[in-house]
Amino acid sequence: MKLIATVLTGLLPLTALAVDFGPFTLTGFAKIEASRASNQCSNCQLNANEDRHRPWADALSPGVPYGTSGGHLTLFQPYLGTKEFDLGGGFKVKGLLSQRWRDGKQDIAGVVYEKNATVLHEDYGLVQVGAFPTRSWSLADYPYGTNLGISDAWASSGAGYGLLTQAVRYGSPLLDVSGGDLYLEATYDAGDSKAKVRTPALFELHAKYVKGPWMVDAVAQSAKNGQAMAWGHGPFIGVTTTDPFEGNRVQGNQQSIVMLMARYQLNAKTDLYAGVRHNRWSGNKAVVTGYVAPNALWNSMFNVDGVDAATNKAYSASSTDISLGAVFRFAPKWNVNTGMVYLGKASTQNPVDRGQSNTMLLNTVGVGYEIQPGFSVYGFTGMVNFGKKGLAPLSMPGHAAFTGVDSRVAKSGNWMGAGLVYTF
């Protein structure tokens, strides 16, 4: 069981000062961050908060100013877990409950990050049931994103889903392969149980291999009848979110990713990181699902050539994204890091440009100092460059996602800031 815990350290949130009381353990993190960035435009879009793939969301508000402005962020996520209870015969069971708050509000309305139970056995592996994050998001977020200052841009982009609500996961016992430890995992999620026509289903496979200086994570995820999106943090629920019988009117949706990420410890002070992800979307035709006078209600369309009910089409698309970075610990409590995310052009037959011809290159540099165990301060700077001014790459959930720089307004932008993080 200790060996399993060692390898799974890279799959779990970083903890430093856990609080034990009775059969429970409380861990988590709190973060506060302030920044200042160029080319910010919070109200540039004419239809505020509208889904980027609805063509009427393309228009900008004329004359709206944009420029350098300040911003702030707070994140708080506690994890309340039970200690492992011995069931006999080598079996143990534990539970976990967790939620995240962003700027004082529930991070994703109606979705709990962790609400699950796990049965473990050193010889047979583990079975987990309930709500928990996918590996495609959680690993891209930490360690492969957080350590490089690119967690949002890398983990929250692409064709994957991030949070599961009705899932079951099986994890293998550790396997000795070529002198290293191999961990294998399979996950299935049924999505929203209210779906009556387009039944959701998500499958994810994960392999983690640790040997010497190497840690390698491979993830493949395939989903059908979830909401069409390019938001790797998004919840997998159903193709519709209101009327459970709307599946009679909308098409089914399919999207998938294949991702490979690796960390190599060059020496005692330096870690190198790399990641590559291939995305595929089926596209989702624009359909009116109902009316709330005087407005029509629309589905979550994706990569369409218009919204004419009789003639609009949805087109499949694929793209490849890349991440790179390094961390250098130049003193016992100091480190510097740099990261890069590149979101590539998409391949699609859509004759209308929905962002498939654009790219995004994001670069960061950061420095961190551990004040004491569990309590750190950090500073960061970065810049973003789009291939051209226009609609954002298909891998992005919104035209101003991750940086506040709207690709329709400015081709580039930069930022700097500082933050505090407490991990307990």
Side-chain angles (χ1 to χ4, degrees):
M1 197 66 70
K2 290 182 180 180
L3 286 176
I4 293 179
T6 300
V7 170
L8 294 188
T9 297
L11 306 180
L12 300 174
L14 179 65
T15 60
L17 303 173
V19 179
D20 293 324
F21 52 98
F24 301 102
T25 298
L26 180 65
T27 59
F29 73 90
K31 180 169 79 169
I32 182 169
E33 190 174 280
S35 62
R36 192 161 181 81
S38 69
N39 292 341
Q40 300 295 288
C41 190
S42 59
N43 296 307
C44 279
Q45 187 165 295
L46 184 61
N47 294 292
N49 302 317
E50 182 59 286
D51 187 328
R52 66 157 285 188
H53 284 282
R54 293 172 174 171
W56 57 86
D58 296 349
L60 298 171
S61 296
V64 174
Y66 75 97
T68 300
S69 63
H72 69 275
L73 168 71
T74 63
L75 284 178
F76 175 58
Q77 184 168 359
Y79 295 81
L80 180 63
T82 66
K83 297 178 181 178
E84 293 183 356
F85 294 97
D86 195 340
L87 301 177
F91 289 96
K92 296 183 179 181
V93 64
K94 63 179 182 179
L96 182 62
L97 177 65
S98 180
Q99 183 59 294
R100 177 177 293 189
W101 285 268
R102 183 183 300 267
D103 295 330
K105 299 178 181 179
Q106 188 176 349
D107 191 20
I108 300 176
V111 178
V112 177
Y113 270 66
E114 303 262 9
K115 187 169 65 173
N116 54 71
T118 305
V119 177
L120 309 94
H121 192 284
E122 187 163 2
D123 294 329
Y124 306 134
L126 63 86
V127 175
Q128 187 175 47
V129 179
F132 43 80
T134 63
R135 296 307 186 194
S136 65
W137 173 75
S138 62
L139 288 170
D141 178 66
Y142 177 82
Y144 295 100
T146 300
N147 288 351
L148 308 176
I150 57 171
S151 60
D152 202 25
W154 180 236
S156 297
S157 58
Y161 294 90
L163 299 176
L164 306 178
T165 58
Q166 297 190 90
V168 58
R169 170 177 287 162
Y170 169 73
S172 73
L174 285 185
L175 306 172
D176 187 349
V177 177
S178 300
D181 290 319
L182 176 65
Y183 171 74
L184 302 174
E185 194 175 75
T187 301
Y188 167 76
D189 184 37
D192 190 350
S193 61
K194 294 184 294 183
K196 302 299 181 183
V197 180
R198 304 290 184 185
T199 305
L202 179 147
F203 298 90
E204 184 178 73
L205 299 176
H206 169 227
K208 185 181 197 71
Y209 185 66
V210 179
K211 180 181 180 181
W214 284 99
M215 179 174 72
V216 180
D217 285 280
V219 181
Q221 185 188 109
S222 179
K224 68 175 184 178
N225 297 332
Q227 278 192 286
M229 64 175 70
W231 182 30
H233 192 175
F236 180 72
I237 300 176
V239 71
T240 62
T241 58
T242 52
D243 182 351
F245 292 96
E246 281 180 5
N248 288 315
R249 295 188 286 273
V250 302
Q251 290 184 327
N253 177 59
Q254 295 186 358
Q255 52 191 74
S256 62
I257 65 167
V258 177
M259 177 187 291
L260 182 67
M261 297 176 291
R263 183 206 67 197
Y264 178 73
Q265 293 181 318
L266 184 63
N267 51 49
K269 294 183 177 181
T270 308
D271 293 344
L272 304 179
Y273 291 83
V276 60
R277 177 182 63 218
H278 185 68
N279 311 288
R280 292 189 64 86
W281 298 270
S282 67
N284 205 14
K285 184 178 178 180
V287 176
V288 175
T289 60
Y291 294 90
V292 176
N295 299 316
L297 301 176
W298 293 81
N299 66 323
S300 56
M301 63 192 74
F302 193 94
N303 197 28
V304 298
D305 60 5
V307 291
D308 184 282
T311 63
N312 91 86
K313 295 181 180 179
Y315 296 82
S316 62
S318 63
S319 69
T320 300
D321 306 322
I322 297 170
S323 69
L324 293 171
V327 177
F328 177 62
R329 294 172 290 275
F330 62 91
K333 293 189 174 185
W334 287 92
N335 75 82
V336 293
N337 60 77
T338 182
M340 182 209 81
V341 174
Y342 177 76
L343 304 183
K345 293 182 180 182
S347 174
T348 179
Q349 297 299 312
N350 193 345
V352 177
D353 192 347
R354 298 303 310 159
Q356 63 266 30
S357 65
N358 210 351
T359 62
M360 185 205 78
L361 177 63
L362 181 145
N363 302 91
T364 64
V365 176
V367 59
Y369 174 72
E370 184 185 51
I371 299 172
Q372 62 184 43
F375 187 38
S376 301
V377 61
Y378 59 93
F380 57 90
T381 185
M383 61 181 180
V384 63
N385 287 278
F386 294 98
K388 65 177 183 177
K389 190 184 294 186
L391 302 185
L394 283 186
S395 276
M396 289 180 63
H399 302 296
F402 315 136
T403 67
V405 179
D406 194 315
S407 61
R408 297 167 296 181
V409 177
K411 189 173 178 290
S412 63
N414 52 72
W415 60 90
M416 63 184 303
L420 294 167
V421 61
Y422 178 64
T423 306
F424 57 93

